[in-house]
Amino acid sequence: MAGSIFGTIFRISTWGESHGVGVGVVVDGCPAGLSLCEEEIQHYLNRRKPGQSKFSTPRKEEDLVEILSGVFEGKTTGTPIAMMVQNKTQQSKDYSEIAKYYRPGHADFTFDQKYGFRDYRGGGRSSGRETIARVAAGAVAQKLLESLGIKVTAYTLKIGSAAVDRERFSIEEAKKNPLCMPDALAAKKAAEFLEDCIKRQDSAGGIIECVIQGIPAGIGEPVFEKLDANLAKAVLSIGAVKGFEIGDGFAAAGSVGSQNNDAFYMQEKEIKKKTNHAGGVLGGISDGSEIVFRAAVKPTPSIAKEQRTVNRNGEEISISVKGRHDPIIVPRAVVVVESMAAITLVDALFVGMTSRLDQIQRFFRA
Amino acid sequence: MAGSIFGTIFRISTWGESHGVGVGVVVDGCPAGLSLCEEEIQHYLNRRKPGQSKFSTPRKEEDLVEILSGVFEGKTTGTPIAMMVQNKTQQSKDYSEIAKYYRPGHADFTFDQKYGFRDYRGGGRSSGRETIARVAAGAVAQKLLESLGIKVTAYTLKIGSAAVDRERFSIEEAKKNPLCMPDALAAKKAAEFLEDCIKRQDSAGGIIECVIQGIPAGIGEPVFEKLDANLAKAVLSIGAVKGFEIGDGFAAAGSVGSQNNDAFYMQEKEIKKKTNHAGGVLGGISDGSEIVFRAAVKPTPSIAKEQRTVNRNGEEISISVKGRHDPIIVPRAVVVVESMAAITLVDALFVGMTSRLDQIQRFFRA
Amino acid sequence: MAGSIFGTIFRISTWGESHGVGVGVVVDGCPAGLSLCEEEIQHYLNRRKPGQSKFSTPRKEEDLVEILSGVFEGKTTGTPIAMMVQNKTQQSKDYSEIAKYYRPGHADFTFDQKYGFRDYRGGGRSSGRETIARVAAGAVAQKLLESLGIKVTAYTLKIGSAAVDRERFSIEEAKKNPLCMPDALAAKKAAEFLEDCIKRQDSAGGIIECVIQGIPAGIGEPVFEKLDANLAKAVLSIGAVKGFEIGDGFAAAGSVGSQNNDAFYMQEKEIKKKTNHAGGVLGGISDGSEIVFRAAVKPTPSIAKEQRTVNRNGEEISISVKGRHDPIIVPRAVVVVESMAAITLVDALFVGMTSRLDQIQRFFRA
Amino acid sequence: MAGSIFGTIFRISTWGESHGVGVGVVVDGCPAGLSLCEEEIQHYLNRRKPGQSKFSTPRKEEDLVEILSGVFEGKTTGTPIAMMVQNKTQQSKDYSEIAKYYRPGHADFTFDQKYGFRDYRGGGRSSGRETIARVAAGAVAQKLLESLGIKVTAYTLKIGSAAVDRERFSIEEAKKNPLCMPDALAAKKAAEFLEDCIKRQDSAGGIIECVIQGIPAGIGEPVFEKLDANLAKAVLSIGAVKGFEIGDGFAAAGSVGSQNNDAFYMQEKEIKKKTNHAGGVLGGISDGSEIVFRAAVKPTPSIAKEQRTVNRNGEEISISVKGRHDPIIVPRAVVVVESMAAITLVDALFVGMTSRLDQIQRFFRA
């Protein structure tokens, strides 16, 4: 089935493998009149680019984006925006060995089961390079959100046992350190933990948090197209994500009603919530406060440490995954989570424009 | 937007409010030839029926299902199966007061923001009664899965601090105790905790776990229609759910690659995994092992304990939610989680039938 | 596959067979705030009710609609509107014979081929009664369009060789005569032709024309969701329709560019077209003039006249279709064409609200 | 809204303008294991290439296709197939003038109305070059259909008053003459008519017929996803098409039931139809006979003959469309109609695989 298309009204269609001609996306449903250039998209792609610290793969990937359609004289035309990043530095020889066996924690086995064979070069379609397309589309979504006063910000919340202390939280700090942690001390501890991981030829995972500011109340469609439900799907569709929670999430399960309910109060004639255990969503609809969610990212499956597995001939073997792999993908995944959230939000805002007849009448009268 | 339709090929369309004529669902895309009768669906509905223990609302709801179409001489015809449960015992007067204010933790405020007004009787469309439609459709999905050798089983994993001990795990036990916990001791502790909650006019949440057995490898569509991504959406679309995780989930984020990777090995000429940290899904595609996921359910927001809120006139007030409310909805939500998982799986199985040309050729040649 | 759901944002889900419990529809995506009652819907249903003249089946079908959800205190709430018409007067014995053979021109054979068997009572799901659901949903769509100043009007253009003369065109006349023809003389000739058909135990078809007034320019989404493409699908999805054309349609194929192009001119500072060969759509987008399309309806396949066919045992036989059948369905199909056009238009208007960033910004700022 | 995506399970996403970087398509949902190379796709693109006779634009367009993803070692992998044709010879200066006014019969005015402005170079997204993407995707669909024994063949049926004579019908002839007419005499008459059109600085339209052979009975989903309804949408979504009919189409509207019904009979233990007035579809489901439909194509709107129109300043002016335009697009549109039919059929075949439980059980047991 067509599984590489996402969205209802604002829709993206992605393509590409790690070792093919390139990776790309068609953004269909972007309104006309948004100013857009390659530099703006490149800015987001650079945030996921590898080789920026010792905690990411030393592979050199320029990942320069080209806009192929949908923009005329610096503005979107309302027609599909096709974007492409060419694969320039992939070295096929690095990956030739993995054609023969199934790497634990990877999709090698399931792709073979599903399709009968696979493009084994660097993971093919299941490679992390696929997320380039998400980030390019996410950049367009972010620009749209900005034009509506909405801001999506993700960062690393936890690596190993090193967690961000809310008291020391500084979003500026997250932009400075290579681990995208908004707490310099936590970042230092996390770095030590990761160095130890690298020494042990092992890898690590972590938790990414994402905050959405400026979203109006009323976004999300009961009962199946709830805003949190669609965010969950968007985030779980990212390769290494194994969990999603909104607001207090799993902690809410251990709370009691009197603690977990957020009391409403009046602030300058506006209805506000005193707390935000709900994470900005009630009944699947945004309530006007910040939306806060978290994603659990598993450790990079590619490790140099010896592992047991089987090959395509059904023989049990020991392997050590060679190549230039990220000891942790969390910092590079931060912008991917942001992108998927932004894409989901734009679509939710657009499909939510028809909730009330009076607003529709006003729209068409204008 | 149309938010009450779910699925791609196997699609459900639900309708109904807590105090209208009834609640119903149209199941569109059910194949012809499945034997189906009202008793089989009723069996599932009875599992979510209230009033079965002191831990659920004492409201009497018969919730008898009628099949209105799509079944002829005891078999599905391939055309839409409409089912309806009439609302018989709803007492409108119980709820008249809540029209005026916004109950904390409920969707009263967000519905007003979205639609301009709301059907305030018993929560209207945001009522838990909406899940009747999910369970009726889920019963059809469960029958389809059974006919393909697939079994979906959910149960309560944790309430308060009372967690199921894997060593004492017994699925038979889950069918016996009113809390659906597969561990008698944990159920006992949970019951004590809940009795204390009731005394304090408070409510509790919990964690539901769901296991899927017999699903073949190869189900799930990269890159956006991953099986776990769609399960996450399905489960988060249930009213009180605030988190989803598959396999080790959030714990995986704190693990290292060498521990989290599941080693492959050979068992009687079949490729198996020694462990299942992945929860049965690699790269968004089922790997042939059990699928295991968990849902975090928040405490029931309706509590008798006094809470602060505001009314529609923008005045701050204190309220105590009257009426017959569940001190915990987790046990009644178990079958709802099962239903959404079953619906998602049927759709995933159906859309996954076109992955390989040789299989398609065989299908049309037969 | 789920084939009984139509639309993207304004979506209908229909169900029901001719001899089951009833026929119904769930309208999902209707905005909140539309005043709606059963009488308004009944008005449209009465237009397709049989037994109103000698040119339709003498079957008595009350076809009373019930609203089951989505309306509160006389207004739509934004949640799904479920509507049902019970099957009250269907006589199963009338149809028992047709279980055994395939009626020419009917879907008996193809349903058996597709589903392995069929609900043979009165055509089951392929019965004309299925259109009740379309008309009920169409009534809601018509009310929405009215509230936006848009009017959809269909009528019979031709029956046999009796065609409406544009010079004598009177929409008031169409409301008076039982054939819905906007030309009394043509209606008289058509009636004579039909009486002759009835005598010869035969049936007739005809052409329905539909005019849409008040639709703003800019509706329709290039390149696949063109307004005319979606109208074509909507109209061809009606049982007996075999052709669709917009504007000059098939006649345009025989024209030349200088004749077929509609010249633009200025009328009171507005850009207008001098002619409307295009039928109100350029490049799949409404151009602000009237939309005009036509549907070709085949003769009723059920005829008393002897026909050759085969039975389920593969034997060739002669049959004469018994029962109370319409000698022509065109007059009753007029409101069905109108309904499908209205449903399609509402969806097109809604999905078209995100074409321009400046309009979106204005919407969310309001 | 996202209007450049077509299909449910086999889905195409197209992009590109006449004077941008290029035109492309992503085919998502193509099963793994189909052998595919650029030459095979090029073969179809060459059929729509201009400059092949005096009856098409003398523009030189190489239109060489590149496959960017989804094919590995000569076979499709089941992941998205991205294809691109670069725009190489477009001369922007030819079109600069049309930025200022609205060409009659073109989408200039409606694009401006919808999006606020337009890419005016050569029609931008509304250019006929957009169909390159349809033909590239259609080539993939045709290969899939061939592998299932299904053949889609379109040809020109009529130009001006020159119509193919069924007695002289020869599909081989259609491949030889530049007008794609399966009747040499009709082609000769049509050529004379077109030469006269060119002399008069005018343009012509025509009718394309399409025949589908080898499609099994049972394809098409009642009640909205009928096979003919989806073919109608697919064909009407092509720029210049103004009408669609299946089987006898508009002629059926003038027939009587006893003539229009196709009698069933037995032929070597198979149920066949003696005639095919229905065009291979009963109740929206294929009946196993040939599917036959026709599309009405309007005359090329770009003509050198003087026309009246208005410019963007609201002034009435006379224009003569300069540039290298097709006096008729029908012959080049033949392969576009074929492509859209093929894409629609593949999708219909795929979504139709879940009609019967016994077939599904057999599929998953295999």
Side-chain angles (χ1 to χ4, degrees):
Chain A
M1 182 224 172
S4 288
I5 294 174
F6 187 81
T8 296
I9 289 289
F10 181 79
R11 211 174 251 203
I12 69 168
S13 173
T14 71
W15 56 270
E17 294 87 29
S18 57
H19 285 66
V21 177
V23 171
V25 62
V26 184
V27 177
D28 192 16
C30 180
L34 179 74
S35 66
L36 189 72
C37 65
E38 287 166 352
E39 288 67 34
E40 291 168 313
I41 295 154
Q42 195 61 50
H43 168 73
Y44 287 89
L45 285 172
N46 290 346
R47 287 174 59 198
R48 77 162 287 292
K49 216 165 66 175
Q52 306 191 88
S53 85
K54 59 184 160 185
F55 304 124
S56 82
T57 167
R59 287 194 307 265
K60 278 265 178 279
E61 295 170 357
E62 282 300 332
D63 295 344
L64 295 177
V65 71
E66 293 169 80
I67 296 177
L68 304 175
S69 70
V71 177
F72 181 57
E73 296 178 345
K75 296 216 166 180
T76 58
T77 60
T79 62
I81 304 166
M83 295 178 282
M84 176 163 80
V85 168
Q86 293 191 39
N87 289 334
K88 291 210 162 137
T89 58
Q90 276 57 41
Q91 305 170 10
S92 280
K93 58 181 170 176
D94 278 359
Y95 297 96
S96 59
E97 196 194 348
I98 66 165
K100 299 173 203 146
Y101 58 77
Y102 298 123
R103 292 170 298 167
H106 276 282
D108 301 343
F109 174 67
T110 51
F111 264 65
D112 261 21
Q113 289 290 306
K114 185 175 189 66
Y115 299 115
F117 73 112
R118 70 185 194 277
D119 179 348
Y120 49 77
R121 300 165 305 167
R125 181 73 179 148
S126 70
S127 159
R129 279 191 74 74
E130 170 260 314
T131 60
I132 286 173
R134 300 176 187 240
V135 174
V140 177
Q142 291 266 36
K143 278 225 68 179
L144 281 169
L145 292 177
E146 269 169 38
S147 82
L148 298 167
I150 299 165
K151 203 172 156 57
V152 182
T153 315
Y155 42 81
T156 304
L157 190 71
K158 198 175 178 185
I159 290 175
S161 62
V164 169
D165 184 331
R166 301 277 177 194
E167 309 260 310
R168 279 194 305 266
F169 188 98
S170 153
I171 195 63
E172 288 311 309
E173 174 59 34
K175 290 175 190 159
K176 279 187 243 162
N177 71 64
L179 297 176
C180 302
M181 287 186 102
D183 170 353
L185 189 59
K188 194 169 161 287
K189 281 187 200 164
E192 287 163 11
F193 168 70
L194 288 173
E195 275 164 26
D196 190 49
C197 275
I198 294 172
K199 249 181 254 158
R200 286 182 284 109
Q201 300 191 301
D202 215 330
S203 65
I207 293 173
I208 294 169
E209 187 167 85
C210 184
V211 174
I212 300 158
Q213 292 162 312
I215 190 118
I219 307 303
E221 307 298 317
V223 296
F224 297 119
E225 304 296 330
K226 285 175 171 153
L227 187 53
D228 38 354
N230 276 322
L231 285 169
K233 175 174 177 171
V235 169
L236 259 292
S237 80
I238 303 169
V241 175
K242 303 299 285 183
F244 171 92
E245 58 178 14
I246 189 150
D248 285 3
F250 277 85
S255 184
V256 288
S258 60
Q259 282 182 331
N260 187 64
N261 284 349
D262 300 309
F264 290 107
Y265 74 106
M266 297 305 298
Q267 190 189 58
E268 290 166 28
K269 298 197 174 166
E270 286 202 22
I271 297 173
K272 300 275 180 190
K273 286 156 50 199
K274 282 207 177 132
T275 50
N276 192 13
H277 298 293
V281 172
L282 283 169
I285 304 170
S286 63
D287 64 15
S289 45
E290 273 187 3
I291 291 174
V292 186
F293 70 82
R294 279 171 298 284
V297 180
K298 73 174 184 180
T300 319
S302 294
I303 51 173
K305 201 168 182 172
E306 198 181 84
Q307 298 179 87
R308 294 292 292 170
T309 190
V310 300
N311 63 22
R312 295 197 76 179
N313 299 329
E315 295 157 339
E316 299 190 356
I317 55 171
S318 285
I319 61 155
S320 161
V321 182
K322 301 289 184 330
R324 306 151 302 164
H325 299 289
D326 295 272
I328 185 165
I329 64 156
V330 171
R332 293 178 61 199
V334 162
V335 69
V336 182
V337 167
E338 244 180 42
S339 295
M340 290 308 298
I343 291 162
T344 304
L345 280 172
V346 169
D347 201 34
L349 284 160
F350 286 4
V351 301
M353 288 172 70
T354 54
S355 300
R356 294 164 66 157
L357 184 59
D358 55 353
Q359 292 177 346
I360 296 169
Q361 287 175 319
R362 208 174 307 133
F363 181 93
F364 283 105
R365 232 177 276 134
Chain B
M1 182 226 171
S4 289
I5 293 174
F6 187 81
T8 297
I9 288 288
F10 181 79
R11 214 173 248 203
I12 69 169
S13 173
T14 72
W15 57 270
E17 294 87 30
S18 57
H19 286 65
V21 178
V23 171
V25 62
V26 184
V27 177
D28 192 16
C30 180
L34 180 75
S35 66
L36 190 72
C37 65
E38 287 166 353
E39 289 69 31
E40 291 168 313
I41 295 154
Q42 196 61 48
H43 168 73
Y44 287 88
L45 286 171
N46 289 347
R47 287 174 57 198
R48 79 162 286 293
K49 219 165 63 173
Q52 306 191 89
S53 84
K54 59 184 160 185
F55 304 123
S56 83
T57 168
R59 288 194 306 265
K60 277 266 177 281
E61 295 170 358
E62 282 300 333
D63 294 346
L64 295 178
V65 71
E66 293 168 81
I67 296 177
L68 304 175
S69 69
V71 177
F72 180 57
E73 296 179 345
K75 296 215 164 178
T76 58
T77 60
T79 63
I81 303 166
M83 295 178 283
M84 176 161 81
V85 167
Q86 291 191 41
N87 290 335
K88 292 211 160 136
T89 58
Q90 277 56 41
Q91 305 171 9
S92 280
K93 57 182 172 177
D94 278 359
Y95 297 96
S96 60
E97 194 193 348
I98 66 165
K100 299 173 202 145
Y101 58 77
Y102 299 122
R103 291 169 298 166
H106 276 280
D108 300 344
F109 174 67
T110 51
F111 264 66
D112 261 21
Q113 289 291 305
K114 183 174 190 68
Y115 300 114
F117 74 112
R118 70 183 194 279
D119 179 350
Y120 49 76
R121 302 165 303 167
R125 181 75 179 145
S126 71
S127 158
R129 278 191 74 72
E130 169 259 314
T131 60
I132 287 173
R134 299 176 188 241
V135 174
V140 178
Q142 290 266 37
K143 278 225 68 179
L144 281 169
L145 292 177
E146 269 169 39
S147 83
L148 298 168
I150 300 164
K151 203 172 157 59
V152 182
T153 314
Y155 43 82
T156 305
L157 190 71
K158 198 175 178 184
I159 290 174
S161 63
V164 168
D165 184 330
R166 300 279 177 193
E167 311 257 312
R168 279 194 306 267
F169 189 97
S170 153
I171 195 63
E172 288 312 307
E173 175 57 35
K175 289 175 192 160
K176 279 188 245 164
N177 70 64
L179 296 175
C180 303
M181 286 186 102
D183 170 355
L185 189 60
K188 192 168 163 288
K189 282 187 200 165
E192 288 163 11
F193 168 71
L194 289 173
E195 274 164 28
D196 190 51
C197 274
I198 294 171
K199 249 181 253 159
R200 286 181 286 108
Q201 300 191 303
D202 215 330
S203 65
I207 294 173
I208 294 170
E209 187 167 83
C210 185
V211 174
I212 300 158
Q213 293 161 312
I215 190 120
I219 307 304
E221 307 298 316
V223 297
F224 297 119
E225 304 298 330
K226 285 175 170 152
L227 187 54
D228 39 353
N230 276 322
L231 285 169
K233 175 173 177 173
V235 168
L236 259 293
S237 80
I238 304 169
V241 175
K242 302 300 283 185
F244 171 92
E245 58 178 14
I246 189 152
D248 285 4
F250 277 85
S255 183
V256 288
S258 59
Q259 281 181 331
N260 188 64
N261 284 349
D262 300 308
F264 291 108
Y265 74 107
M266 298 304 299
Q267 190 189 58
E268 290 166 27
K269 298 197 175 165
E270 285 202 23
I271 297 173
K272 301 276 179 188
K273 285 157 51 199
K274 281 207 176 132
T275 49
N276 192 13
H277 299 292
V281 172
L282 283 169
I285 305 170
S286 63
D287 64 16
S289 44
E290 275 186 2
I291 291 174
V292 186
F293 70 81
R294 280 171 297 285
V297 181
K298 73 174 184 180
T300 318
S302 294
I303 52 173
K305 201 168 182 172
E306 198 181 85
Q307 299 179 88
R308 294 292 291 170
T309 190
V310 301
N311 63 22
R312 294 198 75 179
N313 298 331
E315 296 157 340
E316 299 190 356
I317 56 171
S318 284
I319 62 156
S320 162
V321 182
K322 301 290 185 330
R324 307 153 299 166
H325 299 289
D326 296 272
I328 184 165
I329 63 156
V330 172
R332 292 180 61 200
V334 162
V335 68
V336 182
V337 167
E338 245 179 42
S339 295
M340 290 308 296
I343 291 162
T344 305
L345 280 173
V346 169
D347 202 33
L349 284 161
F350 285 5
V351 301
M353 287 173 70
T354 53
S355 300
R356 293 163 68 158
L357 184 59
D358 55 354
Q359 293 177 346
I360 296 169
Q361 287 175 320
R362 209 174 306 133
F363 181 92
F364 282 106
R365 232 177 275 135
Chain C
M1 181 226 172
S4 289
I5 295 174
F6 187 81
T8 296
I9 287 289
F10 180 79
R11 214 174 247 202
I12 69 167
S13 172
T14 71
W15 57 270
E17 294 86 30
S18 57
H19 285 65
V21 177
V23 171
V25 62
V26 185
V27 177
D28 192 16
C30 180
L34 179 74
S35 65
L36 190 72
C37 65
E38 287 166 353
E39 288 68 32
E40 291 169 312
I41 295 154
Q42 195 61 50
H43 168 73
Y44 287 89
L45 285 172
N46 289 347
R47 286 174 58 198
R48 79 163 285 294
K49 218 167 61 173
Q52 306 191 88
S53 84
K54 59 184 160 186
F55 304 124
S56 82
T57 167
R59 288 193 307 265
K60 277 265 177 278
E61 295 170 358
E62 283 299 333
D63 294 346
L64 296 177
V65 72
E66 292 169 81
I67 296 177
L68 304 175
S69 70
V71 177
F72 181 56
E73 296 178 346
K75 296 215 166 180
T76 58
T77 60
T79 62
I81 303 165
M83 295 179 281
M84 176 161 81
V85 168
Q86 292 191 41
N87 290 334
K88 291 212 162 133
T89 56
Q90 277 55 43
Q91 305 170 9
S92 280
K93 57 181 172 177
D94 278 359
Y95 297 97
S96 60
E97 194 193 349
I98 66 165
K100 299 173 203 147
Y101 58 76
Y102 299 122
R103 292 171 297 165
H106 275 282
D108 300 343
F109 174 67
T110 51
F111 264 66
D112 261 21
Q113 289 290 306
K114 184 174 189 66
Y115 300 114
F117 74 112
R118 71 183 193 278
D119 179 348
Y120 50 76
R121 300 166 303 168
R125 181 72 179 149
S126 70
S127 159
R129 279 191 75 73
E130 170 259 315
T131 60
I132 286 174
R134 300 177 187 240
V135 174
V140 178
Q142 290 266 37
K143 279 224 68 178
L144 281 169
L145 292 177
E146 269 169 39
S147 83
L148 298 168
I150 299 164
K151 203 172 158 55
V152 182
T153 315
Y155 43 81
T156 304
L157 190 70
K158 197 174 179 185
I159 290 176
S161 62
V164 168
D165 184 329
R166 300 279 175 193
E167 310 259 311
R168 280 195 304 268
F169 188 98
S170 152
I171 196 62
E172 288 313 307
E173 174 59 33
K175 290 175 192 160
K176 279 186 245 163
N177 71 64
L179 297 175
C180 302
M181 286 187 102
D183 171 355
L185 190 58
K188 194 169 162 286
K189 280 187 201 166
E192 287 163 11
F193 168 69
L194 289 174
E195 275 163 28
D196 190 51
C197 275
I198 295 172
K199 249 180 257 159
R200 286 182 284 110
Q201 300 191 302
D202 215 329
S203 65
I207 294 174
I208 294 169
E209 187 167 83
C210 184
V211 174
I212 300 157
Q213 292 162 312
I215 190 119
I219 306 303
E221 306 298 316
V223 294
F224 297 119
E225 304 297 330
K226 285 175 171 154
L227 187 54
D228 38 353
N230 276 322
L231 285 169
K233 175 174 177 172
V235 169
L236 259 292
S237 81
I238 302 169
V241 175
K242 302 300 284 183
F244 171 92
E245 58 178 13
I246 188 151
D248 286 3
F250 277 85
S255 184
V256 288
S258 60
Q259 281 182 333
N260 187 64
N261 285 348
D262 300 307
F264 290 107
Y265 74 107
M266 298 304 299
Q267 192 189 58
E268 289 166 30
K269 297 196 176 166
E270 285 203 24
I271 297 173
K272 300 276 180 189
K273 285 156 51 199
K274 282 206 175 133
T275 49
N276 193 12
H277 299 293
V281 172
L282 283 169
I285 304 170
S286 62
D287 64 16
S289 44
E290 274 186 2
I291 291 174
V292 185
F293 70 81
R294 279 170 298 284
V297 181
K298 73 173 184 180
T300 319
S302 294
I303 51 173
K305 200 167 183 173
E306 196 180 84
Q307 298 179 87
R308 294 291 292 170
T309 191
V310 300
N311 62 22
R312 292 196 78 179
N313 299 330
E315 296 157 340
E316 300 191 355
I317 55 171
S318 285
I319 61 157
S320 161
V321 182
K322 301 288 185 330
R324 305 153 301 165
H325 299 289
D326 295 273
I328 184 165
I329 64 157
V330 171
R332 294 178 62 201
V334 162
V335 69
V336 182
V337 168
E338 244 180 43
S339 296
M340 290 309 297
I343 291 162
T344 304
L345 280 172
V346 169
D347 201 34
L349 285 160
F350 286 4
V351 302
M353 288 172 69
T354 54
S355 301
R356 292 164 68 158
L357 184 60
D358 55 353
Q359 292 178 346
I360 296 168
Q361 287 175 320
R362 209 175 305 132
F363 181 93
F364 283 105
R365 232 178 276 133
Chain D
M1 182 227 174
S4 290
I5 294 175
F6 187 80
T8 297
I9 288 287
F10 181 80
R11 213 174 249 202
I12 69 169
S13 173
T14 71
W15 57 269
E17 295 87 29
S18 58
H19 286 65
V21 177
V23 171
V25 62
V26 185
V27 177
D28 192 15
C30 180
L34 179 74
S35 65
L36 190 72
C37 65
E38 288 167 351
E39 287 69 32
E40 291 169 312
I41 295 155
Q42 195 62 48
H43 168 74
Y44 287 89
L45 286 172
N46 289 347
R47 287 174 56 198
R48 80 163 285 293
K49 219 166 62 174
Q52 306 192 89
S53 83
K54 60 186 160 185
F55 303 124
S56 84
T57 167
R59 287 193 308 265
K60 278 266 177 281
E61 294 170 358
E62 283 299 331
D63 294 345
L64 296 177
V65 71
E66 292 168 82
I67 297 177
L68 304 174
S69 69
V71 177
F72 181 57
E73 297 180 342
K75 296 214 164 178
T76 58
T77 60
T79 62
I81 303 166
M83 294 178 282
M84 176 163 80
V85 167
Q86 291 191 41
N87 290 334
K88 290 210 161 136
T89 57
Q90 276 58 40
Q91 305 171 9
S92 281
K93 57 183 171 175
D94 279 359
Y95 297 97
S96 59
E97 195 193 349
I98 67 166
K100 301 173 201 145
Y101 58 77
Y102 298 122
R103 292 170 297 166
H106 276 281
D108 301 343
F109 174 67
T110 51
F111 264 66
D112 261 21
Q113 289 290 307
K114 184 174 189 67
Y115 300 114
F117 74 111
R118 72 183 193 277
D119 179 350
Y120 48 76
R121 300 166 304 167
R125 181 73 179 148
S126 70
S127 158
R129 278 191 74 73
E130 169 259 314
T131 59
I132 287 173
R134 300 176 187 240
V135 174
V140 177
Q142 290 266 36
K143 278 225 67 178
L144 280 169
L145 293 177
E146 269 169 39
S147 82
L148 298 168
I150 299 164
K151 203 172 156 57
V152 182
T153 314
Y155 42 82
T156 305
L157 191 71
K158 198 174 178 185
I159 290 175
S161 61
V164 168
D165 184 329
R166 299 280 176 192
E167 310 258 313
R168 279 195 305 267
F169 188 98
S170 152
I171 195 63
E172 287 312 307
E173 174 59 33
K175 291 175 191 160
K176 279 187 245 163
N177 71 63
L179 298 175
C180 303
M181 287 187 101
D183 170 354
L185 189 59
K188 193 169 163 287
K189 281 187 200 165
E192 287 163 10
F193 168 70
L194 289 173
E195 274 163 30
D196 190 52
C197 275
I198 294 171
K199 248 180 256 160
R200 286 181 285 107
Q201 299 191 304
D202 215 330
S203 65
I207 294 174
I208 294 170
E209 187 167 84
C210 185
V211 175
I212 300 158
Q213 293 161 311
I215 191 119
I219 306 305
E221 308 297 316
V223 295
F224 297 119
E225 303 297 330
K226 285 175 171 152
L227 187 54
D228 39 353
N230 276 323
L231 285 169
K233 175 174 177 173
V235 168
L236 259 293
S237 81
I238 303 169
V241 176
K242 302 300 284 184
F244 171 93
E245 58 178 12
I246 189 151
D248 285 3
F250 277 85
S255 183
V256 287
S258 60
Q259 281 182 329
N260 189 63
N261 284 349
D262 300 308
F264 290 108
Y265 74 106
M266 297 305 298
Q267 190 189 58
E268 290 168 28
K269 297 196 174 167
E270 286 202 22
I271 297 174
K272 301 275 178 188
K273 285 157 51 199
K274 281 206 177 133
T275 49
N276 193 12
H277 298 293
V281 172
L282 284 169
I285 303 171
S286 62
D287 64 17
S289 44
E290 275 187 1
I291 292 174
V292 185
F293 69 82
R294 279 170 297 285
V297 180
K298 73 174 185 180
T300 318
S302 294
I303 52 173
K305 201 166 182 172
E306 197 180 85
Q307 298 179 89
R308 293 292 291 170
T309 190
V310 302
N311 62 23
R312 294 198 75 179
N313 298 330
E315 296 157 339
E316 299 190 357
I317 56 171
S318 284
I319 61 156
S320 161
V321 182
K322 299 291 184 333
R324 305 153 301 165
H325 299 288
D326 295 272
I328 184 164
I329 63 156
V330 171
R332 292 180 62 201
V334 162
V335 69
V336 182
V337 168
E338 244 179 44
S339 295
M340 290 309 297
I343 291 162
T344 305
L345 280 173
V346 169
D347 202 33
L349 285 161
F350 286 5
V351 302
M353 287 173 69
T354 54
S355 301
R356 294 164 68 158
L357 184 59
D358 55 353
Q359 293 177 345
I360 296 168
Q361 287 175 319
R362 209 174 308 133
F363 181 92
F364 282 106
R365 233 177 276 135

